[in-house]
Amino acid sequence: MKLNFRVLFLFFCCEVLLSSCANTRKSTYFVNQADTTLASKNEAPLTYIQPNDLLSIAVSSLNPAATAVFNTPNNSYVSSSSATGINLQSPGYLVNTDGNIQFPIIGNLKVSGLTTNQLREQLTKSLVDRKLLVDPVVVVRQLNFKVSVLGEVARPTVINVPSEKISLLEALGLAGDITVFGRKDNVLVIREESGKKIIRHLNLNSNQLFNSPYYYLKSNDIVYVEANKAKAASGGQTVQTLPIVLSGLSFIAIIVSSIIRK
């Protein structure tokens, strides 16, 4: 009987430890990642201007009086929320449904399908060719570059990205990171391209994330963190101790059964 008790107790301890290790592995980024240098196989994707985008266009030259007219955007405003929850309003050039903007003096410009750098080059060339400015400097930015982070994160939010470059990990960090109930091995990125919704499942337990074309996010991407089975089962804190409680009950039941047989 004494030997049987020791064996059962050892079995109970092993079961608790294995359950704890499994949960820890699932809740950790990049499991068993050793120190190394990973070759970066991807870069931040190019963002192409689309209808309903809001653009900031700033023009400067050696003649401030001549450039003043080009720095008066139309009266379009975009309202967005930052990671801190503050509502932001910015004036800019709204791209209409045909993909055009109205630029002072130059008039109607087709901008849809261009990158901000391509639009900058096009505007600079137009200003010089039409002899409107000498050696102009044009800066084009997309004001409504944003990503949404939903699901099992501390602060689900819409993140405005002034730099127009953000990684999946940065977005999760700005949303307060994944909660203990979120699945790091099954994070969804939803992206719209060419009129199609693209859905990809990413495993943040693996360092293969760094080579994924979805490591860097595009404007209007949606990140969704799925809840694990524990959250789906109860949605309460008690679920964290459920495996241990069940193991304890099983252990007690086995001991009682052994005593009854004796």
Side-chain angles (χ1 to χ4, degrees):
M1 175 64 184
K2 187 175 182 180
L3 180 60
N4 288 340
F5 178 81
R6 289 180 177 177
V7 172
L8 292 174
F9 181 74
L10 180 61
F11 171 76
F12 170 71
C13 292
C14 289
E15 186 174 355
V16 171
L17 288 174
L18 289 174
S19 175
S20 175
C21 290
N23 290 335
T24 301
R25 287 177 62 86
K26 290 182 179 180
S27 63
T28 303
Y29 288 101
F30 318 123
V31 176
N32 296 330
Q33 176 59 60
D35 291 346
T36 186
T37 300
L38 299 173
S40 180
K41 297 182 180 179
N42 59 358
E43 297 180 353
L46 293 176
T47 299
Y48 295 94
I49 300 170
Q50 301 178 17
N52 298 318
D53 277 348
L54 194 71
L55 305 176
S56 167
I57 302 176
V59 181
S60 60
S61 74
L62 295 175
N63 189 343
T67 58
V69 65
F70 300 108
N71 291 310
T72 306
N74 59 18
N75 293 324
S76 298
Y77 283 81
V78 62
S79 179
S80 61
S81 297
S82 68
T84 57
I86 299 174
N87 289 325
L88 306 173
Q89 286 192 328
S90 305
Y93 294 90
L94 180 66
V95 182
N96 63 25
T97 54
D98 295 324
N100 303 323
I101 62 171
Q102 287 292 327
F103 197 73
I105 301 180
I106 293 178
N108 198 50
L109 275 179
K110 181 71 173 182
V111 299
S112 181
L114 301 177
T115 66
T116 53
N117 281 336
Q118 290 172 335
L119 176 56
R120 173 183 57 80
E121 293 172 357
Q122 179 178 314
L123 276 173
T124 301
K125 186 176 185 301
S126 295
L127 292 171
V128 172
D129 290 349
R130 297 177 63 169
K131 298 181 179 180
L132 298 172
L133 293 173
V134 177
D135 295 330
V137 176
V138 180
V139 178
V140 181
R141 294 177 57 195
Q142 183 179 347
L143 296 176
N144 63 323
F145 192 115
K146 64 182 185 299
V147 296
S148 302
V149 185
L150 308 173
E152 282 300 320
V153 292
R155 298 185 301 274
T157 185
V158 177
I159 303 170
N160 194 53
V161 188
S163 65
E164 302 177 24
K165 179 181 178 180
I166 187 170
S167 70
L168 174 59
L169 296 178
E170 288 175 310
L172 290 172
L174 289 172
D177 202 4
I178 298 176
T179 70
V180 294
F181 295 113
R183 289 186 58 181
K184 289 185 173 69
D185 62 340
N186 191 32
V187 175
L188 272 67
V189 174
I190 304 171
R191 177 174 296 174
E192 185 170 350
E193 288 184 339
S194 304
K196 297 180 180 178
K197 299 285 188 185
I198 301 173
I199 301 175
R200 291 292 181 268
H201 295 256
L202 302 177
N203 182 5
L204 305 191
N205 295 145
S206 170
N207 64 12
Q208 293 302 311
L209 170 70
F210 296 115
N211 293 324
S212 169
Y214 295 88
Y215 175 73
Y216 286 108
L217 301 176
K218 287 187 174 183
S219 182
N220 298 317
D221 277 0
I222 299 173
V223 178
Y224 175 73
V225 180
E226 183 180 352
N228 56 28
K229 292 182 180 180
K231 177 65 178 288
S234 71
Q237 294 292 334
T238 55
V239 73
Q240 297 180 28
T241 59
L242 184 59
I244 297 176
V245 172
L246 291 177
S247 298
L249 292 176
S250 300
F251 175 61
I252 294 173
I254 293 173
I255 291 178
V256 172
S257 177
S258 299
I259 294 174
I260 292 175
R261 290 197 192 99
K262 294 293 182 180

